[in-house]
Amino acid sequence: MMGFDSRLQVGVNRTEVFWPYLWGRTPLVDDEFSGSHPLFWQKASTDGPRNPIAKAFDAFFSAFGKLLGF
């Protein structure tokens, strides 16, 4: 989320249990916005590294960081 109009109603919705989040499949929470005012977001254009070693490295350290709260 890059920004939103302060007149929007903002909430947080928990999406999944912890394990899909830990393995990087889904976000743990989603932001919810209701109203007719603007909001701005940025979406990543790549799916991540294609190299299997880089994917394994990224998955391991991502899960480890999430366990430590990073």
Side-chain angles (χ1 to χ4, degrees), residues 46-56 58-59:
T46 62
D47 292 332
R50 300 282 183 209
N51 183 342
I53 295 172
K55 281 185 177 182
D58 185 42

Side-chain angles (χ1 to χ4, degrees), residues 1-4 39-43:
M1 175 60 50
M2 294 173 57
F4 60 92
L39 60 100
F40 305 98
W41 73 92
Q42 181 177 2
K43 185 175 181 178

Side-chain angles (χ1 to χ4, degrees), residues 8-48:
L8 288 172
Q9 292 183 6
V10 180
V12 177
N13 184 25
R14 186 168 175 151
T15 58
E16 289 286 337
V17 294
F18 186 71
W19 293 112
Y21 163 73
L22 182 63
W23 298 115
R25 295 183 191 139
T26 61
L28 187 60
V29 294
D30 282 334
D31 296 325
E32 292 182 342
F33 299 92
S34 25
S36 61
H37 304 289
L39 60 100
F40 305 98
W41 73 92
Q42 181 177 2
K43 185 175 181 178
S45 61
T46 62
D47 292 332

